[in-house]
PDB file of all heavy atoms in Angstrom:
ATOM      1  N   ARG A1271       0.836  -1.205   0.000  1.00  0.00           N
ATOM      2  CA  ARG A1271       0.000   0.000   0.000  1.00  0.00           C
ATOM      3  C   ARG A1271       0.874   1.260   0.000  1.00  0.00           C
ATOM      4  O   ARG A1271       0.575   2.231  -0.713  1.00  0.00           O
ATOM      5  CB  ARG A1271      -0.946  -0.005   1.198  1.00  0.00           C
ATOM      6  CG  ARG A1271      -1.794   1.260   1.294  1.00  0.00           C
ATOM      7  CD  ARG A1271      -2.867   1.158   2.336  1.00  0.00           C
ATOM      8  NE  ARG A1271      -3.999   0.386   1.863  1.00  0.00           N
ATOM      9  CZ  ARG A1271      -4.935   0.850   1.035  1.00  0.00           C
ATOM     10  NH1 ARG A1271      -4.849   2.088   0.545  1.00  0.00           N
ATOM     11  NH2 ARG A1271      -5.942   0.098   0.677  1.00  0.00           N
ATOM     12  N   ALA A1272       1.937   1.257   0.792  1.00  0.00           N
ATOM     13  CA  ALA A1272       2.809   2.438   0.868  1.00  0.00           C
ATOM     14  C   ALA A1272       3.464   2.727  -0.487  1.00  0.00           C
ATOM     15  O   ALA A1272       3.566   3.887  -0.908  1.00  0.00           O
ATOM     16  CB  ALA A1272       3.869   2.216   1.943  1.00  0.00           C
ATOM     17  N   LYS A1273       3.892   1.641  -1.153  1.00  0.00           N
ATOM     18  CA  LYS A1273       4.551   1.838  -2.459  1.00  0.00           C
ATOM     19  C   LYS A1273       3.571   2.373  -3.489  1.00  0.00           C
ATOM     20  O   LYS A1273       3.879   3.315  -4.248  1.00  0.00           O
ATOM     21  CB  LYS A1273       5.159   0.528  -2.943  1.00  0.00           C
ATOM     22  CG  LYS A1273       5.854   0.657  -4.287  1.00  0.00           C
ATOM     23  CD  LYS A1273       6.994  -0.298  -4.426  1.00  0.00           C
ATOM     24  CE  LYS A1273       7.851   0.046  -5.636  1.00  0.00           C
ATOM     25  NZ  LYS A1273       9.052  -0.782  -5.725  1.00  0.00           N
ATOM     26  N   ILE A1274       2.365   1.783  -3.537  1.00  0.00           N
ATOM     27  CA  ILE A1274       1.358   2.242  -4.509  1.00  0.00           C
ATOM     28  C   ILE A1274       0.940   3.672  -4.194  1.00  0.00           C
ATOM     29  O   ILE A1274       0.734   4.493  -5.106  1.00  0.00           O
ATOM     30  CB  ILE A1274       0.135   1.300  -4.490  1.00  0.00           C
ATOM     31  CG1 ILE A1274       0.546  -0.126  -4.879  1.00  0.00           C
ATOM     32  CG2 ILE A1274      -0.947   1.814  -5.428  1.00  0.00           C
ATOM     33  CD1 ILE A1274       1.167  -0.248  -6.252  1.00  0.00           C
ATOM     34  N   GLU A1275       0.832   4.009  -2.904  1.00  0.00           N
ATOM     35  CA  GLU A1275       0.441   5.362  -2.521  1.00  0.00           C
ATOM     36  C   GLU A1275       1.515   6.370  -2.926  1.00  0.00           C
ATOM     37  O   GLU A1275       1.192   7.476  -3.389  1.00  0.00           O
ATOM     38  CB  GLU A1275       0.201   5.415  -1.006  1.00  0.00           C
ATOM     39  CG  GLU A1275      -0.199   6.780  -0.462  1.00  0.00           C
ATOM     40  CD  GLU A1275      -1.523   7.289  -1.001  1.00  0.00           C
ATOM     41  OE1 GLU A1275      -2.316   6.493  -1.562  1.00  0.00           O
ATOM     42  OE2 GLU A1275      -1.773   8.505  -0.878  1.00  0.00           O
ATOM     43  N   THR A1276       2.768   5.993  -2.779  1.00  0.00           N
ATOM     44  CA  THR A1276       3.864   6.875  -3.209  1.00  0.00           C
ATOM     45  C   THR A1276       3.789   7.145  -4.712  1.00  0.00           C
ATOM     46  O   THR A1276       3.932   8.291  -5.170  1.00  0.00           O
ATOM     47  CB  THR A1276       5.225   6.247  -2.857  1.00  0.00           C
ATOM     48  OG1 THR A1276       5.308   6.076  -1.440  1.00  0.00           O
ATOM     49  CG2 THR A1276       6.376   7.143  -3.318  1.00  0.00           C
ATOM     50  N   ILE A1277       3.540   6.079  -5.492  1.00  0.00           N
ATOM     51  CA  ILE A1277       3.404   6.229  -6.946  1.00  0.00           C
ATOM     52  C   ILE A1277       2.216   7.131  -7.272  1.00  0.00           C
ATOM     53  O   ILE A1277       2.295   8.019  -8.135  1.00  0.00           O
ATOM     54  CB  ILE A1277       3.234   4.851  -7.618  1.00  0.00           C
ATOM     55  CG1 ILE A1277       4.524   4.030  -7.446  1.00  0.00           C
ATOM     56  CG2 ILE A1277       2.873   4.999  -9.094  1.00  0.00           C
ATOM     57  CD1 ILE A1277       4.386   2.579  -7.871  1.00  0.00           C
ATOM     58  N   ARG A1278       1.084   6.916  -6.581  1.00  0.00           N
ATOM     59  CA  ARG A1278      -0.108   7.721  -6.840  1.00  0.00           C
ATOM     60  C   ARG A1278       0.165   9.202  -6.578  1.00  0.00           C
ATOM     61  O   ARG A1278      -0.181  10.071  -7.396  1.00  0.00           O
ATOM     62  CB  ARG A1278      -1.251   7.245  -5.931  1.00  0.00           C
ATOM     63  CG  ARG A1278      -2.590   7.956  -6.204  1.00  0.00           C
ATOM     64  CD  ARG A1278      -3.594   7.696  -5.089  1.00  0.00           C
ATOM     65  NE  ARG A1278      -3.213   8.388  -3.857  1.00  0.00           N
ATOM     66  CZ  ARG A1278      -3.459   9.679  -3.618  1.00  0.00           C
ATOM     67  NH1 ARG A1278      -4.065  10.428  -4.541  1.00  0.00           N
ATOM     68  NH2 ARG A1278      -3.085  10.227  -2.486  1.00  0.00           N
ATOM     69  N   GLU A1279       0.817   9.496  -5.457  1.00  0.00           N
ATOM     70  CA  GLU A1279       1.084  10.892  -5.109  1.00  0.00           C
ATOM     71  C   GLU A1279       2.037  11.543  -6.114  1.00  0.00           C
ATOM     72  O   GLU A1279       1.839  12.709  -6.507  1.00  0.00           O
ATOM     73  CB  GLU A1279       1.685  10.958  -3.693  1.00  0.00           C
ATOM     74  CG  GLU A1279       0.682  10.629  -2.589  1.00  0.00           C
ATOM     75  CD  GLU A1279       1.320  10.595  -1.212  1.00  0.00           C
ATOM     76  OE1 GLU A1279       2.572  10.646  -1.129  1.00  0.00           O
ATOM     77  OE2 GLU A1279       0.576  10.521  -0.216  1.00  0.00           O
ATOM     78  N   GLN A1280       3.056  10.792  -6.535  1.00  0.00           N
ATOM     79  CA  GLN A1280       4.016  11.343  -7.503  1.00  0.00           C
ATOM     80  C   GLN A1280       3.351  11.641  -8.846  1.00  0.00           C
ATOM     81  O   GLN A1280       3.559  12.717  -9.437  1.00  0.00           O
ATOM     82  CB  GLN A1280       5.179  10.365  -7.708  1.00  0.00           C
ATOM     83  CG  GLN A1280       6.087  10.229  -6.487  1.00  0.00           C
ATOM     84  CD  GLN A1280       7.109   9.110  -6.644  1.00  0.00           C
ATOM     85  OE1 GLN A1280       6.984   8.257  -7.538  1.00  0.00           O
ATOM     86  NE2 GLN A1280       8.109   9.091  -5.779  1.00  0.00           N
ATOM     87  N   GLU A1281       2.555  10.715  -9.359  1.00  0.00           N
ATOM     88  CA  GLU A1281       1.890  10.902 -10.651  1.00  0.00           C
ATOM     89  C   GLU A1281       0.831  11.993 -10.571  1.00  0.00           C
ATOM     90  O   GLU A1281       0.629  12.755 -11.525  1.00  0.00           O
ATOM     91  CB  GLU A1281       1.257   9.581 -11.104  1.00  0.00           C
ATOM     92  CG  GLU A1281       2.263   8.492 -11.413  1.00  0.00           C
ATOM     93  CD  GLU A1281       3.284   8.934 -12.453  1.00  0.00           C
ATOM     94  OE1 GLU A1281       2.871   9.483 -13.507  1.00  0.00           O
ATOM     95  OE2 GLU A1281       4.499   8.770 -12.201  1.00  0.00           O
ATOM     96  N   LEU A1282       0.147  12.079  -9.413  1.00  0.00           N
ATOM     97  CA  LEU A1282      -0.856  13.127  -9.249  1.00  0.00           C
ATOM     98  C   LEU A1282      -0.189  14.504  -9.257  1.00  0.00           C
ATOM     99  O   LEU A1282      -0.690  15.452  -9.878  1.00  0.00           O
ATOM    100  CB  LEU A1282      -1.618  12.912  -7.934  1.00  0.00           C
ATOM    101  CG  LEU A1282      -2.685  13.961  -7.583  1.00  0.00           C
ATOM    102  CD1 LEU A1282      -3.779  13.994  -8.644  1.00  0.00           C
ATOM    103  CD2 LEU A1282      -3.292  13.682  -6.210  1.00  0.00           C
ATOM    104  N   GLU A1283       0.950  14.591  -8.583  1.00  0.00           N
ATOM    105  CA  GLU A1283       1.676  15.867  -8.540  1.00  0.00           C
ATOM    106  C   GLU A1283       2.114  16.293  -9.944  1.00  0.00           C
ATOM    107  O   GLU A1283       2.003  17.468 -10.322  1.00  0.00           O
ATOM    108  CB  GLU A1283       2.890  15.736  -7.622  1.00  0.00           C
ATOM    109  CG  GLU A1283       3.615  17.046  -7.373  1.00  0.00           C
ATOM    110  CD  GLU A1283       4.772  16.900  -6.402  1.00  0.00           C
ATOM    111  OE1 GLU A1283       4.894  15.832  -5.761  1.00  0.00           O
ATOM    112  OE2 GLU A1283       5.572  17.856  -6.302  1.00  0.00           O
ATOM    113  N   LYS A1284       2.586  15.326 -10.755  1.00  0.00           N
ATOM    114  CA  LYS A1284       2.990  15.638 -12.129  1.00  0.00           C
ATOM    115  C   LYS A1284       1.803  16.145 -12.932  1.00  0.00           C
ATOM    116  O   LYS A1284       1.893  17.140 -13.670  1.00  0.00           O
ATOM    117  CB  LYS A1284       3.554  14.390 -12.806  1.00  0.00           C
ATOM    118  CG  LYS A1284       4.913  13.947 -12.298  1.00  0.00           C
ATOM    119  CD  LYS A1284       5.344  12.675 -13.035  1.00  0.00           C
ATOM    120  CE  LYS A1284       6.618  12.103 -12.468  1.00  0.00           C
ATOM    121  NZ  LYS A1284       6.992  10.825 -13.141  1.00  0.00           N
ATOM    122  N   ALA A1285       0.669  15.454 -12.809  1.00  0.00           N
ATOM    123  CA  ALA A1285      -0.517  15.832 -13.585  1.00  0.00           C
ATOM    124  C   ALA A1285      -1.003  17.218 -13.202  1.00  0.00           C
ATOM    125  O   ALA A1285      -1.343  18.044 -14.076  1.00  0.00           O
ATOM    126  CB  ALA A1285      -1.614  14.793 -13.359  1.00  0.00           C
ATOM    127  N   LEU A1286      -1.028  17.508 -11.880  1.00  0.00           N
ATOM    128  CA  LEU A1286      -1.515  18.816 -11.434  1.00  0.00           C
ATOM    129  C   LEU A1286      -0.580  19.940 -11.877  1.00  0.00           C
ATOM    130  O   LEU A1286      -1.041  21.040 -12.190  1.00  0.00           O
ATOM    131  CB  LEU A1286      -1.668  18.817  -9.904  1.00  0.00           C
ATOM    132  CG  LEU A1286      -2.780  17.907  -9.343  1.00  0.00           C
ATOM    133  CD1 LEU A1286      -2.762  17.926  -7.824  1.00  0.00           C
ATOM    134  CD2 LEU A1286      -4.155  18.354  -9.857  1.00  0.00           C
ATOM    135  N   SER A1287       0.721  19.646 -11.892  1.00  0.00           N
ATOM    136  CA  SER A1287       1.680  20.694 -12.319  1.00  0.00           C
ATOM    137  C   SER A1287       1.485  21.026 -13.801  1.00  0.00           C
ATOM    138  O   SER A1287       1.667  22.173 -14.215  1.00  0.00           O
ATOM    139  CB  SER A1287       3.115  20.249 -12.052  1.00  0.00           C
ATOM    140  OG  SER A1287       3.458  19.131 -12.858  1.00  0.00           O
ATOM    141  N   ARG A1288       1.100  20.020 -14.609  1.00  0.00           N
ATOM    142  CA  ARG A1288       0.868  20.266 -16.040  1.00  0.00           C
ATOM    143  C   ARG A1288      -0.431  21.039 -16.269  1.00  0.00           C
ATOM    144  O   ARG A1288      -0.552  21.771 -17.245  1.00  0.00           O
ATOM    145  CB  ARG A1288       0.821  18.944 -16.798  1.00  0.00           C
ATOM    146  CG  ARG A1288       2.184  18.257 -16.936  1.00  0.00           C
ATOM    147  CD  ARG A1288       2.185  17.221 -18.052  1.00  0.00           C
ATOM    148  NE  ARG A1288       1.219  16.163 -17.818  1.00  0.00           N
ATOM    149  CZ  ARG A1288       1.492  15.023 -17.171  1.00  0.00           C
ATOM    150  NH1 ARG A1288       2.721  14.824 -16.690  1.00  0.00           N
ATOM    151  NH2 ARG A1288       0.570  14.103 -17.007  1.00  0.00           N
ATOM    152  N   LEU A1289      -1.382  20.858 -15.371  1.00  0.00           N
ATOM    153  CA  LEU A1289      -2.663  21.538 -15.531  1.00  0.00           C
ATOM    154  C   LEU A1289      -2.564  23.020 -15.192  1.00  0.00           C
ATOM    155  O   LEU A1289      -3.415  23.812 -15.599  1.00  0.00           O
ATOM    156  CB  LEU A1289      -3.727  20.865 -14.666  1.00  0.00           C
ATOM    157  CG  LEU A1289      -4.181  19.473 -15.130  1.00  0.00           C
ATOM    158  CD1 LEU A1289      -5.046  18.795 -14.082  1.00  0.00           C
ATOM    159  CD2 LEU A1289      -4.937  19.580 -16.454  1.00  0.00           C
ATOM    160  N   GLY A1290      -1.559  23.386 -14.393  1.00  0.00           N
ATOM    161  CA  GLY A1290      -1.342  24.800 -14.116  1.00  0.00           C
ATOM    162  C   GLY A1290      -2.092  25.303 -12.906  1.00  0.00           C
ATOM    163  O   GLY A1290      -2.987  24.655 -12.366  1.00  0.00           O
ATOM    164  N   THR A1291      -1.752  26.535 -12.503  1.00  0.00           N
ATOM    165  CA  THR A1291      -2.314  27.123 -11.278  1.00  0.00           C
ATOM    166  C   THR A1291      -3.787  27.469 -11.426  1.00  0.00           C
ATOM    167  O   THR A1291      -4.489  27.658 -10.435  1.00  0.00           O
ATOM    168  CB  THR A1291      -1.536  28.399 -10.901  1.00  0.00           C
ATOM    169  OG1 THR A1291      -1.547  29.289 -12.023  1.00  0.00           O
ATOM    170  CG2 THR A1291      -0.094  28.071 -10.528  1.00  0.00           C
ATOM    171  N   GLU A1292      -4.237  27.653 -12.700  1.00  0.00           N
ATOM    172  CA  GLU A1292      -5.651  28.027 -12.881  1.00  0.00           C
ATOM    173  C   GLU A1292      -6.604  26.872 -12.569  1.00  0.00           C
ATOM    174  O   GLU A1292      -7.826  27.065 -12.513  1.00  0.00           O
ATOM    175  CB  GLU A1292      -5.883  28.510 -14.325  1.00  0.00           C
ATOM    176  CG  GLU A1292      -5.835  27.422 -15.403  1.00  0.00           C
ATOM    177  CD  GLU A1292      -4.427  27.045 -15.813  1.00  0.00           C
ATOM    178  OE1 GLU A1292      -3.466  27.591 -15.203  1.00  0.00           O
ATOM    179  OE2 GLU A1292      -4.284  26.211 -16.723  1.00  0.00           O
ATOM    180  N   PHE A1293      -6.023  25.665 -12.334  1.00  0.00           N
ATOM    181  CA  PHE A1293      -6.864  24.498 -12.054  1.00  0.00           C
ATOM    182  C   PHE A1293      -7.486  24.653 -10.668  1.00  0.00           C
ATOM    183  O   PHE A1293      -6.781  24.789  -9.665  1.00  0.00           O
ATOM    184  CB  PHE A1293      -6.010  23.223 -12.118  1.00  0.00           C
ATOM    185  CG  PHE A1293      -6.828  21.965 -12.290  1.00  0.00           C
ATOM    186  CD1 PHE A1293      -7.495  21.736 -13.484  1.00  0.00           C
ATOM    187  CD2 PHE A1293      -6.927  21.030 -11.278  1.00  0.00           C
ATOM    188  CE1 PHE A1293      -8.236  20.592 -13.679  1.00  0.00           C
ATOM    189  CE2 PHE A1293      -7.671  19.889 -11.447  1.00  0.00           C
ATOM    190  CZ  PHE A1293      -8.325  19.654 -12.647  1.00  0.00           C
ATOM    191  N   ALA A1294      -8.790  24.705 -10.589  1.00  0.00           N
ATOM    192  CA  ALA A1294      -9.481  25.017  -9.331  1.00  0.00           C
ATOM    193  C   ALA A1294      -9.245  23.941  -8.273  1.00  0.00           C
ATOM    194  O   ALA A1294      -9.061  22.773  -8.582  1.00  0.00           O
ATOM    195  CB  ALA A1294     -10.984  25.157  -9.595  1.00  0.00           C
ATOM    196  N   ASP A1295      -9.291  24.402  -6.980  1.00  0.00           N
ATOM    197  CA  ASP A1295      -9.086  23.471  -5.862  1.00  0.00           C
ATOM    198  C   ASP A1295     -10.097  22.327  -5.884  1.00  0.00           C
ATOM    199  O   ASP A1295      -9.766  21.179  -5.594  1.00  0.00           O
ATOM    200  CB  ASP A1295      -9.197  24.213  -4.525  1.00  0.00           C
ATOM    201  CG  ASP A1295      -7.990  25.097  -4.278  1.00  0.00           C
ATOM    202  OD1 ASP A1295      -6.980  24.899  -4.971  1.00  0.00           O
ATOM    203  OD2 ASP A1295      -8.068  25.969  -3.393  1.00  0.00           O
ATOM    204  N   LYS A1296     -11.331  22.641  -6.235  1.00  0.00           N
ATOM    205  CA  LYS A1296     -12.357  21.596  -6.224  1.00  0.00           C
ATOM    206  C   LYS A1296     -12.070  20.524  -7.269  1.00  0.00           C
ATOM    207  O   LYS A1296     -12.385  19.355  -7.090  1.00  0.00           O
ATOM    208  CB  LYS A1296     -13.747  22.188  -6.433  1.00  0.00           C
ATOM    209  CG  LYS A1296     -13.993  22.818  -7.782  1.00  0.00           C
ATOM    210  CD  LYS A1296     -15.440  23.302  -7.877  1.00  0.00           C
ATOM    211  CE  LYS A1296     -15.723  23.917  -9.249  1.00  0.00           C
ATOM    212  NZ  LYS A1296     -17.131  24.363  -9.349  1.00  0.00           N
ATOM    213  N   HIS A1297     -11.427  20.927  -8.367  1.00  0.00           N
ATOM    214  CA  HIS A1297     -11.061  19.935  -9.379  1.00  0.00           C
ATOM    215  C   HIS A1297      -9.925  19.052  -8.880  1.00  0.00           C
ATOM    216  O   HIS A1297      -9.881  17.859  -9.163  1.00  0.00           O
ATOM    217  CB  HIS A1297     -10.658  20.638 -10.684  1.00  0.00           C
ATOM    218  CG  HIS A1297     -11.810  21.359 -11.326  1.00  0.00           C
ATOM    219  ND1 HIS A1297     -11.664  22.577 -11.954  1.00  0.00           N
ATOM    220  CD2 HIS A1297     -13.120  21.033 -11.420  1.00  0.00           C
ATOM    221  CE1 HIS A1297     -12.841  22.969 -12.419  1.00  0.00           C
ATOM    222  NE2 HIS A1297     -13.743  22.051 -12.105  1.00  0.00           N
ATOM    223  N   GLN A1298      -9.005  19.669  -8.130  1.00  0.00           N
ATOM    224  CA  GLN A1298      -7.919  18.886  -7.546  1.00  0.00           C
ATOM    225  C   GLN A1298      -8.479  17.832  -6.589  1.00  0.00           C
ATOM    226  O   GLN A1298      -8.018  16.689  -6.557  1.00  0.00           O
ATOM    227  CB  GLN A1298      -6.944  19.814  -6.791  1.00  0.00           C
ATOM    228  CG  GLN A1298      -6.147  20.731  -7.695  1.00  0.00           C
ATOM    229  CD  GLN A1298      -5.136  21.545  -6.912  1.00  0.00           C
ATOM    230  OE1 GLN A1298      -4.644  21.090  -5.895  1.00  0.00           O
ATOM    231  NE2 GLN A1298      -4.816  22.734  -7.414  1.00  0.00           N
ATOM    232  N   GLU A1299      -9.481  18.205  -5.790  1.00  0.00           N
ATOM    233  CA  GLU A1299     -10.087  17.281  -4.829  1.00  0.00           C
ATOM    234  C   GLU A1299     -10.749  16.112  -5.552  1.00  0.00           C
ATOM    235  O   GLU A1299     -10.694  14.959  -5.102  1.00  0.00           O
ATOM    236  CB  GLU A1299     -11.106  18.015  -3.962  1.00  0.00           C
ATOM    237  CG  GLU A1299     -10.474  19.013  -2.990  1.00  0.00           C
ATOM    238  CD  GLU A1299     -11.516  19.829  -2.259  1.00  0.00           C
ATOM    239  OE1 GLU A1299     -12.730  19.567  -2.456  1.00  0.00           O
ATOM    240  OE2 GLU A1299     -11.129  20.745  -1.512  1.00  0.00           O
ATOM    241  N   VAL A1300     -11.386  16.421  -6.708  1.00  0.00           N
ATOM    242  CA  VAL A1300     -12.049  15.365  -7.478  1.00  0.00           C
ATOM    243  C   VAL A1300     -11.021  14.360  -7.991  1.00  0.00           C
ATOM    244  O   VAL A1300     -11.212  13.138  -7.893  1.00  0.00           O
ATOM    245  CB  VAL A1300     -12.859  15.969  -8.644  1.00  0.00           C
ATOM    246  CG1 VAL A1300     -13.328  14.864  -9.594  1.00  0.00           C
ATOM    247  CG2 VAL A1300     -14.051  16.759  -8.116  1.00  0.00           C
ATOM    248  N   ILE A1301      -9.923  14.874  -8.542  1.00  0.00           N
ATOM    249  CA  ILE A1301      -8.889  13.970  -9.072  1.00  0.00           C
ATOM    250  C   ILE A1301      -8.211  13.195  -7.941  1.00  0.00           C
ATOM    251  O   ILE A1301      -7.888  12.011  -8.088  1.00  0.00           O
ATOM    252  CB  ILE A1301      -7.856  14.762  -9.903  1.00  0.00           C
ATOM    253  CG1 ILE A1301      -8.532  15.329 -11.152  1.00  0.00           C
ATOM    254  CG2 ILE A1301      -6.674  13.881 -10.282  1.00  0.00           C
ATOM    255  CD1 ILE A1301      -7.600  16.045 -12.097  1.00  0.00           C
ATOM    256  N   GLU A1302      -8.004  13.869  -6.804  1.00  0.00           N
ATOM    257  CA  GLU A1302      -7.420  13.185  -5.627  1.00  0.00           C
ATOM    258  C   GLU A1302      -8.306  12.004  -5.223  1.00  0.00           C
ATOM    259  O   GLU A1302      -7.822  10.882  -5.016  1.00  0.00           O
ATOM    260  CB  GLU A1302      -7.313  14.180  -4.458  1.00  0.00           C
ATOM    261  CG  GLU A1302      -6.894  13.564  -3.130  1.00  0.00           C
ATOM    262  CD  GLU A1302      -5.387  13.522  -2.964  1.00  0.00           C
ATOM    263  OE1 GLU A1302      -4.669  14.254  -3.673  1.00  0.00           O
ATOM    264  OE2 GLU A1302      -4.930  12.733  -2.120  1.00  0.00           O
ATOM    265  N   ALA A1303      -9.625  12.249  -5.125  1.00  0.00           N
ATOM    266  CA  ALA A1303     -10.561  11.184  -4.751  1.00  0.00           C
ATOM    267  C   ALA A1303     -10.593  10.085  -5.801  1.00  0.00           C
ATOM    268  O   ALA A1303     -10.666   8.893  -5.482  1.00  0.00           O
ATOM    269  CB  ALA A1303     -11.963  11.767  -4.546  1.00  0.00           C
ATOM    270  N   LEU A1304     -10.528  10.474  -7.074  1.00  0.00           N
ATOM    271  CA  LEU A1304     -10.540   9.503  -8.168  1.00  0.00           C
ATOM    272  C   LEU A1304      -9.346   8.553  -8.072  1.00  0.00           C
ATOM    273  O   LEU A1304      -9.501   7.333  -8.146  1.00  0.00           O
ATOM    274  CB  LEU A1304     -10.531  10.239  -9.504  1.00  0.00           C
ATOM    275  CG  LEU A1304     -10.335   9.367 -10.760  1.00  0.00           C
ATOM    276  CD1 LEU A1304     -11.538   8.445 -10.958  1.00  0.00           C
ATOM    277  CD2 LEU A1304     -10.097  10.237 -11.995  1.00  0.00           C
TER     278      LEU A1304
END
């Protein structure tokens, strides 16, 4: 679980950085939950 969670957090961070700062917080929460 720890290894998969680390991978999830790293890939999520990459995706959010590509989406840019204009990406709303509520959208980040949706992708986090997804």
Side-chain angles (χ1 to χ4, degrees):
R1271 177 171 281 282
K1273 180 150 192 174
I1274 299 301
E1275 179 63 16
T1276 299
I1277 294 171
R1278 185 193 70 81
E1279 289 176 350
Q1280 291 172 345
E1281 294 304 312
L1282 178 61
E1283 187 177 349
K1284 289 179 186 177
L1286 292 176
S1287 66
R1288 288 199 299 269
L1289 289 170
T1291 55
E1292 71 279 3
F1293 199 69
D1295 287 344
K1296 66 177 181 179
H1297 294 142
Q1298 291 184 30
E1299 291 174 4
V1300 169
I1301 294 184
E1302 172 88 19
L1304 171 67

